[in-house]
Amino acid sequence: MKTFKNKWNNRAVEDAGCYMSKEAISFCTAFKNMLKREGKAKGFEVVACKSGHYDLYGFVKRGDIYIYVSFDIPRWGSRIDFEKYGTDGVLVRYAQNEKDYKGECNHFCKLSELPEKLSEMFERRERA
């Protein structure tokens, strides 16, 4: 997370209008790689990670517990802020499987706290 944060925090990603910029694609790749590294260290795996039009989304799982993850890449000169919360942060919610885009209730966390939030959610569900 540290390397990912150092490279992308407070950085404005180029906006190429109706196309994803190379920089936005690079951010998505870095995000997916960070999530895989953090997942390996914290005991979860990335089962899907896709990019849309200046957003990315996917699923992580531990055992039979799935969590949907979604992040909108700031545009129009706005900067990526790892400390933003709420709808400007990362959306996470429990899901039934890697195709459940409705899932349960939405939760939000800061981008800087995503790996810890995912671990906390897995542990909470495992105890239930």
Side-chain angles (χ1 to χ4, degrees):
M1 173 59 91
K2 187 176 181 179
T3 303
F4 177 67
K5 184 176 179 180
N6 286 342
K7 180 172 183 177
W8 293 101
N9 192 32
N10 202 31
R11 186 167 168 185
V13 174
E14 177 189 1
D15 185 351
C18 59
Y19 299 98
M20 279 275 280
S21 68
K22 289 180 181 178
E23 195 172 33
I25 293 168
S26 178
F27 174 81
C28 291
T29 301
F31 184 97
K32 182 178 181 178
N33 290 337
M34 174 277 297
L35 205 53
K36 284 182 175 181
R37 280 190 310 274
E38 293 292 328
K40 192 173 190 176
K42 297 191 179 299
F44 62 83
E45 67 177 295
V46 177
V47 291
C49 191
K50 301 176 182 182
S51 58
H53 188 66
Y54 290 93
D55 68 324
L56 53 97
Y57 56 94
F59 295 88
V60 295
K61 79 174 218 169
R62 181 189 291 170
D64 61 351
I65 302 167
Y66 290 83
I67 299 175
Y68 173 76
V69 178
S70 176
F71 181 73
D72 291 331
I73 302 168
R75 297 176 67 188
W76 304 295
S78 295
R79 297 182 177 278
I80 297 170
D81 185 347
F82 276 58
E83 301 307 316
K84 282 203 173 185
Y85 184 73
T87 56
D88 291 327
V90 183
L91 179 144
V92 292
R93 66 174 167 242
Y94 293 109
Q96 295 298 315
N97 54 47
E98 69 271 12
K99 298 193 186 292
D100 179 13
Y101 291 93
K102 289 190 212 176
E104 296 181 16
C105 297
N106 291 344
H107 301 271
F108 295 93
C109 67
K110 297 174 184 177
L111 187 52
S112 64
E113 297 172 351
L114 178 60
E116 289 75 23
K117 177 70 172 180
L118 293 172
S119 288
E120 174 188 302
M121 289 177 71
F122 283 122
E123 290 167 11
R124 185 178 311 127
R125 188 53 56 101
E126 288 166 347
R127 287 192 303 263

